Amino acid sequence: MASISHSSLAFTGTSSASDIFRSSSNGVSGVPLRALGKVRLGMRRNLAVVAKLRKVKKHEYPWPEDPDPNVKGGVLTHLSHFKPLKEKPKPVTLPFEKPLVDIEKKIIDVRKMANETGLDFSDQIILLENKYNQALKDLYTNLTPIQRVNIARHPNRPTFLDHVFNITDKFVELHGDRAGYDDPAIVTGIGTIDGRRYMFMGHQKGRNTKENIQRNFGMPTPHGYRKAMRMMYYADHHGFPIVTFIDTPGAYADLKSEELGQGEAIAHNLRTMFGLKVPIVSIVIGEGGSGGALAIGCANKLLMLENAVFYVASPEACAAILWKSAKASPKAAEKLKITATELCKLQIADGIIPEPLGGAHADPSWTSQQIKNAINKEMDELHKLDTEALLKHRMMKFRNIGGFQEGIPIDPKKKKNMKKKDEPINVKTPVLDLEGEVEKVKQQILKAKESSNEPPMLPLTETIEKLRKEVDTEFSEAVKALGLKDRFATLREEFSKVNAQNQLLHPALKEKLEKLREEFNQGLSSAPNYEDLKYKLDMLKELSKAYDLAEKNNKAAKLKQEVNKKFSEIMDREDVKEKVEALKAEVENSGVSDFNDLDDNLKGKIVELRKELEFEFIDVLKSLGLDVELKSKPVEQTLPSEVKTKIEELNEEINDRIENVINSSDLKDKIELLKLEVAKAGKTPDIAAKNKIVALEQQIRQSIAAAVESSNLKEKHEKLKAEVSKTIESSGGLDGSLKTENPNEDSFSFDESRVVGANRTFG
């Protein structure tokens, strides 16, 4: 500062004080006020002017002494409050990351040992590093919602300004809401990405405790939202696209903020954002809480980092409301559907920006680059829309959120009340009423038999179902009365787990089951409802037998009808008719009435035709899924008693061998598994269940056949077979011709004795 001598200056004459001060602008400028104050003025009154300078702390802000003009982001970057931290943030380990820390400690210990001993531990280090990388990958690709919430809140997670300075070429922060306030929890500014200008705004959290207190932990007051709205108008006026970064637990909810109009400020922002004529892209980089996040989140595109969350209420608050405990927050986080993946499915978020393994804080620069790529991609798409289409796009994005259809009644099953439903009370039907119903069904079955009609299946089925429910209720009461309810419940859970995993019953579990069954059966007679249970069970067994018999008769009748229809089709064929008629004519021409008197040539023709037809009938029966066995005169009747005894002994030996094989552990397990599969498949198994059952049956058969062949039973069988053949030959053999009581019979009908079962499985 220029200065002159500080000596007192005297002014004489009639000069006034105003003339003296005016003279300072005419050449006496630079005279200190302190000097002027000591001037004695030639006036009636003495006047002194004194100015005191207050000492203040010297700041380097806004400019340092030697600003670097080549700093990243341009020289205006020096204006920002946001400076790199002097110390690196301390590493913070989340609870679910402890297994990774253990492996990391092992790696450090091995390296330390290698340095101290000079030995080569490179193989062990590589092995541990591979194990660490695999564990990291497994952990971060299968995160639960609450774990993602913890990552979104990580103290070292990159903040809004971290990302902005990484992705922009130039950036200058703009302050103030033009009403006397500047909220540090919301930061706004203009920046460029690849030569294109954007208006950036976002929630700013602190990187340490001091910054968090200064930034109010990223929770804005009304001044912050009004500052953001001012910048939105500014961007709209100049045509700058807007990019907002969301990272807040919610708007600051103290008394002062409410007095200053927190709700009004948020609502005003919501309304304003839907009218802005420039593209808007919002990115959730941490946690987006309620209206505090939405106040700068009404965008054309909402993107989320992979481990970010966006919610109406925090999981802790939701758990406290619904389950009266914040400990239920993992359950609440899952039910709220707050992760990026779930919100994309619900079409609330429009895209997911990937994060490195370990979260965004593991590699902030790489994460920022992904954000930059996403911004460029979305802005290129939005710039193609004209103003009207842009506004409509933004409006329709929010109009389409949620699935609503008017005028369609809601299925009551979808209604969920917070209060648990009371368990249904099983009201028992009086025994007399049940007797009446059962008697009525019996009468209907008897009438159907007398009139040769099918028994009424519907009333029979309904009565059986009702009786089953009654028996179940009685059993439950008996179990409760005997004090076995908890043990039954525990066993049922264990059994259902085994059944769900398609595993074999563990011997210990099987033993528990048998023991409980024996205990229940022994104590059942002492149960107070034993008589009712026994009576209802007897009625159920009786009706079930009637049902099974009726079902069997119906199936047999239908099968018989179908078989006879197929046989008739064969017999009505022209070629078959011609052959039968030709043979009839030959028999009539021979003039013989008895089959045994016919000549051998004619007998051969008849036998040949019958064989031909018989093979066709067998094919028909097999096509219906039946096993066919042609019955002839038993060989045993023509054998001597010694040979018969040998056959019986061999059969017993074979049966014993098969029984021993079945009781072996491996085959027994397979049979148990087969029983389980048959029970699960039920009456109408699907293709997969059928294939599984058939494969198991084949394995069991092969095991039995292999066991029998490995013994000397096969040799005994061959010897006995040869002996039987010799005996038959020595006795003059058997008549191989097909004899019939009525050789002139034209038609063939279905003979049930010729059909031996179908679809037999191991019981």
Side-chain angles (χ1 to χ4, degrees):
M1 184 183 284
S3 62
I4 59 173
S5 174
H6 284 212
S7 58
S8 300
L9 298 176
F11 294 88
T12 57
T14 59
S15 299
S16 64
S18 60
D19 294 330
I20 294 168
F21 285 114
R22 199 178 296 116
S23 67
S24 65
S25 63
N26 296 326
V28 200
S29 61
V31 178
L33 290 176
R34 194 180 286 119
L36 293 176
K38 294 179 181 177
V39 177
R40 293 179 177 277
L41 301 176
M43 297 174 63
R44 291 180 183 178
R45 273 180 169 177
N46 293 332
L47 180 66
V49 179
V50 180
K52 291 183 179 180
L53 297 175
R54 182 168 60 87
K55 288 184 180 181
V56 295
K57 187 178 178 182
K58 187 178 178 182
H59 286 279
E60 287 186 5
Y61 174 81
W63 296 103
E65 291 180 0
D66 51 346
D68 180 8
N70 300 318
V71 70
K72 187 181 183 303
V75 73
L76 292 177
T77 309
H78 293 294
L79 289 172
S80 175
H81 289 283
F82 193 78
K83 304 292 180 187
L85 290 172
K86 292 178 182 178
E87 296 179 358
K88 284 186 177 182
K90 293 179 181 178
V92 177
T93 304
L94 298 173
F96 63 88
E97 291 179 322
K98 284 180 182 177
L100 296 175
V101 175
D102 295 339
I103 300 171
E104 208 168 357
K105 281 181 181 176
K106 286 180 184 177
I107 294 170
I108 292 166
D109 292 342
V110 173
R111 280 182 178 155
K112 188 178 177 183
M113 193 185 296
N115 292 333
E116 289 174 355
T117 60
L119 298 172
D120 184 14
F121 288 100
S122 55
D123 291 342
Q124 287 84 343
I125 291 169
I126 290 167
L127 191 68
L128 284 169
E129 284 176 348
N130 290 339
K131 188 179 177 182
Y132 177 85
N133 293 331
Q134 187 60 43
L136 182 69
K137 186 180 178 182
D138 293 342
L139 181 64
Y140 273 85
T141 50
N142 299 291
L143 290 168
T144 61
I146 196 66
Q147 287 172 345
R148 292 193 189 277
V149 172
N150 292 333
I151 295 169
R153 294 171 178 170
H154 198 286
N156 298 339
R157 195 170 175 83
T159 62
F160 161 54
L161 285 174
D162 286 318
H163 289 306
V164 163
F165 282 119
N166 280 337
I167 65 177
T168 53
D169 308 318
K170 292 181 180 179
F171 177 76
V172 59
E173 188 179 341
L174 302 177
H175 297 268
D177 64 348
R178 293 298 181 265
Y181 298 98
D182 181 30
D183 185 3
I186 283 191
V187 174
T188 59
I190 299 173
T192 59
I193 298 176
D194 298 338
R196 188 186 282 172
R197 288 189 186 88
Y198 296 98
M199 174 63 76
F200 292 95
M201 57 188 70
H203 303 99
Q204 177 64 27
K205 286 184 177 179
R207 295 167 293 178
N208 51 40
T209 307
K210 185 179 177 182
E211 281 192 13
N212 265 322
I213 292 167
Q214 182 196 345
R215 300 280 183 183
N216 199 25
F217 294 88
M219 294 186 287
T221 61
H223 317 310
Y225 293 119
R226 289 179 182 128
K227 174 169 73 170
M229 186 173 64
R230 183 175 80 84
M231 297 307 166
M232 288 176 198
Y233 281 129
Y234 184 87
D236 192 43
H237 178 75
H238 291 283
F240 298 154
I242 298 171
V243 181
T244 70
F245 287 74
I246 297 169
D247 186 14
T248 179
Y252 194 47
D254 69 327
L255 182 62
K256 190 70 176 174
S257 295
E258 296 300 333
E259 287 175 353
L260 291 170
Q262 184 74 284
E264 181 272 341
I266 292 172
H268 206 160
N269 274 30
L270 298 178
R271 186 187 70 178
T272 301
M273 289 189 83
F274 281 104
L276 298 175
K277 298 172 185 176
V278 292
I280 307 173
V281 172
S282 290
I283 302 166
V284 185
I285 58 172
E287 55 178 336
S290 191
L294 201 61
I296 60 169
C298 297
N300 294 94
K301 295 282 185 177
L302 177 68
L303 307 176
M304 292 181 72
L305 284 180
E306 190 179 345
N307 294 316
V309 289
F310 198 44
Y311 49 71
V312 174
S314 68
E316 292 81 6
C318 176
I321 294 165
L322 294 181
W323 292 285
K324 311 300 180 191
S325 171
K327 289 180 181 178
S329 55
K331 186 179 178 182
E334 189 177 348
K335 299 290 183 186
L336 282 168
K337 310 290 185 190
I338 58 178
T339 60
T341 310
E342 294 290 346
L343 292 171
C344 279
K345 286 180 186 175
L346 296 170
Q347 297 182 347
I348 293 170
D350 299 299
I352 300 172
I353 301 171
E355 291 185 32
L357 291 174
H361 52 280
D363 193 347
S365 301
W366 187 86
T367 309
S368 298
Q369 188 59 40
Q370 301 306 310
I371 291 172
K372 181 180 177 180
N373 295 341
I375 290 170
N376 285 334
K377 180 186 172 185
E378 298 300 337
M379 284 298 179
D380 288 342
E381 188 181 328
L382 293 172
H383 274 300
K384 294 174 185 176
L385 303 176
D386 57 24
T387 304
E388 188 178 346
L390 193 71
L391 291 169
K392 189 175 180 182
H393 178 274
R394 195 179 307 146
M395 184 264 291
M396 290 310 297
K397 171 182 166 49
F398 285 86
R399 291 289 292 173
N400 291 333
I401 289 175
F404 304 100
Q405 289 179 314
E406 295 181 2
I408 297 174
I410 300 170
D411 185 359
K413 288 179 184 176
K414 294 180 183 176
K415 293 180 181 177
K416 291 184 180 178
N417 299 320
M418 288 174 65
K419 185 184 174 184
K420 287 184 178 179
K421 290 183 180 179
D422 297 328
E423 289 185 6
I425 301 167
N426 293 323
V427 181
K428 291 197 291 185
T429 309
V431 176
L432 289 173
D433 293 352
L434 280 174
E435 277 181 357
E437 288 183 30
V438 171
E439 196 59 39
K440 191 177 177 182
V441 172
K442 282 181 180 177
Q443 292 297 328
Q444 289 176 350
I445 293 170
L446 287 171
K447 282 181 184 177
K449 275 186 180 179
E450 288 171 3
S451 58
S452 301
N453 293 329
E454 290 184 9
M457 298 301 287
L458 185 61
L460 184 59
T461 309
E462 288 175 355
T463 309
I464 288 171
E465 194 59 37
K466 191 172 183 180
L467 274 170
R468 275 184 187 149
K469 286 180 182 176
E470 290 290 326
V471 169
D472 286 343
T473 306
E474 294 290 353
F475 265 117
S476 300
E477 283 188 15
V479 168
K480 197 174 179 182
L482 295 172
L484 302 173
K485 187 178 178 182
D486 294 338
R487 287 172 64 188
F488 263 101
T490 308
L491 266 179
R492 193 180 290 115
E493 283 180 14
E494 290 181 24
F495 187 76
S496 60
K497 281 180 186 176
V498 171
N499 201 11
Q501 295 170 3
N502 287 334
Q503 294 178 351
L504 292 175
L505 276 180
H506 194 274
L509 181 59
K510 199 183 289 184
E511 192 179 342
K512 277 186 192 176
L513 196 61
E514 290 298 329
K515 192 176 177 182
L516 187 60
R517 185 185 292 164
E518 282 177 17
E519 193 175 337
F520 175 73
N521 289 335
Q522 285 173 4
L524 185 58
S525 56
S526 62
N529 63 332
Y530 175 68
E531 293 300 328
D532 288 350
L533 172 59
K534 189 173 181 299
Y535 188 68
K536 289 176 182 177
L537 197 57
D538 289 340
M539 283 195 289
L540 178 61
K541 284 178 181 176
E542 192 178 350
L543 284 187
S544 297
K545 279 182 184 177
Y547 179 83
D548 291 340
L549 186 62
E551 193 75 14
K552 190 178 177 182
N553 290 338
N554 287 342
K555 282 183 181 176
K558 285 178 183 175
L559 190 60
K560 190 174 181 178
Q561 237 177 358
E562 197 171 347
V563 170
N564 284 330
K565 185 183 174 185
K566 296 272 186 186
F567 283 4
S568 299
E569 286 175 4
I570 292 171
M571 295 305 299
D572 290 340
R573 279 202 335 245
E574 290 299 325
D575 59 329
V576 175
K577 277 185 178 180
E578 285 176 6
K579 288 178 182 178
V580 171
E581 290 299 328
L583 273 175
K584 269 186 182 181
E586 282 189 42
V587 170
E588 285 174 6
N589 292 334
S590 67
V592 178
S593 59
D594 191 12
F595 179 79
N596 293 325
D597 297 336
L598 291 173
D599 61 355
D600 292 338
N601 186 25
L602 195 53
K603 275 184 184 180
K605 285 182 181 179
I606 294 171
V607 169
E608 192 178 342
L609 178 59
R610 297 202 67 160
K611 278 184 180 179
E612 187 182 330
L613 292 175
E614 203 158 47
F615 285 132
E616 286 198 39
F617 293 156
I618 288 168
D619 290 340
V620 166
L621 294 173
K622 283 182 178 177
S623 69
L624 295 172
L626 300 170
D627 292 335
V628 181
E629 182 184 344
L630 294 175
K631 289 191 176 181
S632 59
K633 186 179 178 181
V635 177
E636 289 84 351
Q637 291 179 11
T638 63
L639 294 174
S641 58
E642 294 174 4
V643 178
K644 285 182 184 178
T645 308
K646 286 182 182 179
I647 291 171
E648 287 172 6
E649 286 174 359
L650 183 60
N651 283 336
E652 283 179 15
E653 200 173 339
I654 290 168
N655 289 334
D656 290 341
R657 179 63 182 163
I658 290 170
E659 197 171 338
N660 291 334
V661 172
I662 288 171
N663 289 330
S664 68
S665 58
D666 184 37
L667 197 58
K668 201 171 184 181
D669 289 345
K670 283 181 182 176
I671 292 169
E672 287 295 330
L673 185 59
L674 179 60
K675 285 181 182 179
L676 188 65
E677 288 297 330
V678 171
K680 280 172 66 180
K683 291 184 179 179
T684 54
D686 56 11
I687 296 167
K690 276 183 182 176
N691 292 340
K692 207 166 185 181
I693 289 167
V694 169
L696 280 168
E697 283 181 354
Q698 284 178 352
Q699 288 176 20
I700 291 165
R701 286 196 186 102
Q702 285 169 4
S703 299
I704 293 170
V708 172
E709 283 179 9
S710 64
S711 64
N712 60 350
L713 291 173
K714 194 173 182 183
E715 293 174 8
K716 287 183 180 179
H717 178 265
E718 292 296 332
K719 284 179 182 177
L720 192 57
K721 192 176 176 184
E723 193 176 340
V724 169
S725 300
K726 270 185 184 181
T727 307
I728 291 168
E729 285 174 10
S730 63
S731 62
L734 296 171
D735 186 4
S737 61
L738 294 173
K739 297 182 180 180
T740 180
E741 291 178 5
N742 187 6
N744 296 324
E745 192 176 358
D746 294 359
S747 61
F748 290 83
S749 62
F750 171 63
D751 181 8
E752 285 179 281
S753 65
R754 296 165 69 89
V755 180
V756 185
N759 300 327
R760 286 174 291 181
T761 59
F762 284 88

